[in-house]
């Protein structure tokens, strides 16, 4: 029902390098994308209405009904998708290469599509730096799978038809929401290649993000001076050298400043009261 959250298995598919395609090449890429993924779902016995799909331009968001066994996705669907890609890429000058993000969690449906933090995570995993780097390093491979830690623990580790947990490798990845653990697999290989150095620590594309791509939990605070720094005498002010010396020693200061024209006088130390006079008797 619209507006109510329900648990679902989330499959997000992205095409690698789609931004390099021309406008005339993209429609054919999208046709192949829907063909290889749709045929794989059909062969795995996963069909609407138990399968919801949402177009993402160069990708597809899929959400499976709660009664679809997730092992059917991590096993049969991935294997069928891999074989479909191998077949369709045989004679292509620009082969179709896909990144798949897998997660499970609460999904909310409305008139415009599907949403929720679980959906966000599946999309982030498919699009993160490590996933892209592994597929780049897997020369000739058409597919990489990035599974969340929960999917790995609940549905990959137990094994099943065409599910080999030994083919997955763990990496910590930096996402916009923070650092998380994901498990990666390249079908047809006993283990995925290592991503290039620093891929795991690459910053998410957010100008306000701190190290690792996550936003800091609190704004940066000014540094307090060390004890020996506080005791160091401040440079005397030309306007009031005696007051500056007292302030450096930590005494209370009542500073009378007669200001002629505009400008600023700064006195180091702790000041309780500042009295201003503009010299005109006001």
């Amino acid at each position: 029902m619209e507006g109510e959250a329900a648990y679902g298995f989330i499959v997000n598919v992205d095409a690698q390098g789609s931004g390099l395609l021309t406008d005339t090449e993209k429609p054919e890429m999208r046709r192949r994308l829907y063909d290889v993924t749709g045929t794989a779902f059909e062969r795995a016995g996963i069909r609407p209405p138990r399968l919801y799909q949402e177009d993402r331009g160069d990708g597809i968001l899929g959400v499976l009904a709660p009664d679809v066994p997730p092992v059917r996705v991590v096993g049969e669907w991935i294997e069928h998708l891999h074989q479909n890609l191998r077949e369709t890429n045989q004679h292509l000058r620009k082969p179709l290469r896909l990144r798949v993000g897998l997660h499970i969690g609460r999904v909310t449906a409305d008139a415009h599509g599907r949403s929720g933090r679980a959906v966000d995570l599946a999309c982030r995993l498919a699009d993160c730096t490590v996933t892209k780097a592994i597929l780049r390093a897997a020369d000739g491979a058409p597919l990489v799978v990035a599974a969340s830690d929960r999917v790995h623990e609940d549905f990959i580790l137990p094994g099943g038809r065409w599910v080999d947990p030994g083919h997955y490798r763990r990496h910590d990845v930096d996402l916009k929401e923070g650092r998380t653990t994901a498990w990666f697999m390249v079908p047809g290989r006993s283990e995925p290649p290592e991503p290039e150095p620093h891929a795991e620590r690459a910053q998410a594309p957010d100008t306000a993000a701190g190290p690792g791509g996550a936003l800091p939990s609190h704004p940066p605070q000014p540094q307090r001076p060390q004890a020996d720094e506080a005791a160091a005498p401040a440079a005397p002010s030309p306007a009031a050298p005696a007051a500056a010396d007292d302030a450096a020693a930590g005494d209370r200061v009542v500073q009378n400043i007669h200001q002629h024209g505009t400008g600023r006088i700064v006195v180091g130390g702790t000041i309780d009261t500042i009295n201003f006079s503009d010299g005109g008797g006001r």
Side-chain angles (χ1 to χ4, degrees):
M1 184 179 297
E2 183 175 329
E4 293 185 359
Y7 273 83
F9 195 90
I10 305 154
V11 180
N12 190 75
V13 183
D14 279 341
Q16 181 103 329
S18 61
L20 302 176
L21 300 177
T22 66
D23 287 345
T24 56
E25 292 173 324
K26 286 190 176 184
E28 182 61 22
M29 179 276 291
R30 285 169 48 81
R31 185 193 66 77
R32 293 192 180 99
L33 171 66
Y34 273 90
D35 180 59
V36 296
T37 56
T39 303
F41 277 123
E42 183 71 25
R43 291 177 178 173
I46 304 171
R47 306 174 184 88
R50 302 166 75 201
L51 168 65
Y52 166 84
Q53 289 186 292
E54 183 177 307
D55 185 77
R56 293 296 180 100
D58 61 351
I60 304 171
L61 172 67
V63 180
L64 280 61
D67 62 340
V68 177
V71 69
R72 196 178 296 177
V73 177
V74 299
E76 296 177 43
W77 179 78
I78 288 177
E79 179 59 27
H80 288 310
L81 177 61
H82 178 225
Q83 297 304 325
N84 292 347
L85 284 168
R86 292 183 61 194
E87 181 178 352
T88 197
N89 285 340
Q90 282 182 357
H91 306 294
L92 291 182
R93 183 174 59 88
K94 296 181 179 180
L96 179 62
R97 308 182 78 199
L98 301 180
R99 307 184 307 269
V100 174
L102 303 176
H103 189 42
I104 188 170
R106 291 166 57 87
V107 179
T108 301
D110 59 30
H112 306 288
R114 302 293 185 269
S115 65
R117 292 177 60 88
V119 173
D120 293 343
L121 180 55
C123 296
R124 299 273 195 262
L125 290 177
D127 194 50
C128 75
T129 304
V130 174
T131 309
K132 294 178 179 179
I134 289 176
L135 188 55
R136 280 196 302 268
D139 188 40
L143 179 64
V144 62
V145 177
S148 69
D149 200 33
R150 180 177 179 184
V151 168
H152 179 264
E153 181 176 351
D154 290 351
F155 309 112
I156 295 174
L157 275 181
R161 188 183 186 205
W162 297 339
V163 181
D164 191 337
H167 291 176
Y168 284 80
R169 292 295 179 269
R170 168 181 171 162
H171 290 280
D172 292 330
V173 297
D174 291 317
L175 308 177
K176 287 184 178 180
E177 295 80 4
R179 187 155 249 244
T180 191
T181 297
W183 295 81
F184 298 86
M185 188 266 289
V186 175
R189 302 196 178 196
S190 59
E191 63 179 12
E194 287 295 316
E196 60 258 24
H198 312 304
E200 293 185 18
R201 300 296 300 180
Q203 181 172 315
D206 192 326
T207 56
L215 292 175
S217 57
H218 300 286
Q221 300 297 321
Q223 297 295 320
R224 294 182 178 274
Q226 301 297 323
D228 55 347
E229 294 177 355
S237 168
D245 291 341
D246 291 342
D251 295 335
R252 298 178 60 190
V253 177
V254 177
Q255 179 67 40
N256 295 303
I257 299 176
H258 297 274
Q259 181 175 326
H260 301 272
T262 61
R264 179 187 298 170
I265 298 176
V266 179
V267 178
T270 303
I271 299 176
D272 285 353
T273 307
I274 300 179
N275 301 316
F276 289 94
S277 173
D278 62 3
R282 291 176 295 176

